[in-house]
Amino acid sequence: MHRLLIPILALLLSACDQQAMFDRFVPKEEAALAKQVVSQLAARDYASVEAQLDPSLRSPDLRSKLEAMAEHIPSGEHISVRTVGAHTNITNSVTSFNLTFEYQYKDSWLLANVVLERRNGKVLVQGIHVTPRSTSLEAENAFTFDGKSALHYAVLVLAVGIPLFVVYALIACVRTQIPKRKWLWLLFVAVGMVQFRFNWTTGAWGVHPFSVALLGAGFAKAGPVAPYIFTLAFPLGAFVFLMKRRSFAQPADA
């Protein structure tokens, strides 16, 4: 079991500074403005927050909503803040920015989401949302075996075993003399059919019947503190080739 974990762990540990790479895609000016809005809300400077809101949001009960939101922000100065979500969408001449920040306080954490919209050269706040938390996203979504189920271990074994099986079939395919369209066989063997996606943090899973996966397995993260999503696919091409291999010519010399 430990030998099977080595390839996965090596990939996880060999990743470069994901936060630095992620920060390159964060719009600096808009992120600074969003943090300023959160700071004003934390300081109960409601007038400044209201002045930056889209006019359509300035309802009669706006002040009470801001006050209720501010109650969720821990008192005192935060220890650190990092950007954990950044999505930019451009529609015609309007650019929307959906930014999420994680604030660390002495005994708690806070997620703050700010939606901005740039229209006609002016940036307005379209939404603010804060969520108090007892732990960081990085700790919550860390790759760990604590409290994991048998399904987690099964997914991990398959995430290692399926690519090894596909690579074995690919090598055999390369060494086998196939009369015609050998490249089609190589392509068929290299991918797995029907994706099974598994969230390592929550254990949630789903099936995507019309998707394929290179080498039959993989994993990805949507951001530096996002959960690991493992992808498994049935290596149909590898199975079919190995069953039909004897019907082709004998393998060529290595």
Side-chain angles (χ1 to χ4, degrees):
M1 176 66 181
H2 294 294
R3 292 182 179 179
L4 292 176
L5 297 181
I6 291 176
I8 287 290
L9 295 179
L11 287 173
L12 297 177
L13 296 175
S14 64
C16 58
D17 188 352
Q18 293 184 339
Q19 187 67 47
M21 294 180 62
F22 176 79
D23 288 341
R24 295 179 184 177
F25 298 95
V26 176
K28 301 299 185 294
E29 180 181 346
E30 287 75 19
L33 176 58
K35 291 177 184 178
Q36 176 182 297
V37 172
V38 176
S39 296
Q40 292 169 344
L41 184 62
R44 275 59 174 176
D45 185 3
Y46 303 120
S48 296
V49 176
E50 292 171 351
Q52 300 176 80
L53 290 175
D54 187 294
S56 63
L57 300 177
R58 297 171 190 172
S59 58
D61 61 343
L62 174 60
R63 179 61 62 91
S64 62
K65 290 181 178 179
L66 292 177
E67 292 173 349
M69 194 181 305
E71 292 299 320
H72 292 293
I73 301 178
S75 59
E77 191 68 23
H78 59 267
I79 298 173
S80 65
V81 58
R82 67 189 299 188
T83 306
V84 296
H87 302 278
T88 301
N89 182 57
I90 301 176
T91 304
N92 297 325
S93 59
V94 179
T95 305
S96 299
F97 306 90
N98 193 323
L99 301 165
T100 304
F101 308 96
E102 184 180 62
Y103 289 81
Q104 179 185 3
Y105 292 84
K106 182 179 180 180
D107 300 312
S108 61
W109 301 77
L110 180 79
L111 280 182
N113 174 256
V114 180
V115 179
L116 305 175
E117 186 177 274
R118 181 182 294 276
R119 185 193 299 266
N120 299 325
K122 188 175 182 179
V123 179
L124 294 174
V125 178
Q126 296 293 328
I128 309 171
H129 186 73
V130 296
T131 305
R133 293 174 54 85
S134 59
T135 186
S136 67
L137 285 175
E138 185 174 27
E140 181 179 300
N141 295 323
F143 186 81
T144 176
F145 295 101
D146 293 340
K148 301 309 179 185
S149 66
L151 180 59
H152 285 80
Y153 287 92
V155 168
L156 191 59
V157 170
L158 290 173
V160 176
I162 291 176
L164 291 178
F165 176 70
V166 172
V167 169
Y168 167 76
L170 276 173
I171 294 174
C173 186
V174 169
R175 298 183 59 196
T176 300
Q177 294 178 348
I178 300 177
K180 57 183 179 179
R181 295 187 178 89
K182 185 173 184 176
W183 66 273
L184 283 177
W185 273 108
L186 289 170
L187 181 61
F188 186 34
V189 171
V191 299
M193 308 294 181
V194 184
Q195 284 191 11
F196 168 88
R197 295 179 186 173
F198 182 76
N199 186 311
W200 186 262
T201 299
T202 65
W205 58 275
V207 178
H208 301 262
F210 302 108
S211 300
V212 298
L214 183 64
L215 298 183
F219 71 92
K221 296 180 65 175
V225 297
Y228 287 94
I229 305 298
F230 282 81
T231 300
L232 305 176
F234 181 68
L236 177 64
F239 275 113
V240 171
F241 169 76
L242 292 177
M243 287 189 296
K244 291 181 62 65
R245 187 184 180 194
R246 291 184 179 180
S247 66
F248 296 123
Q250 293 298 316
D253 293 337

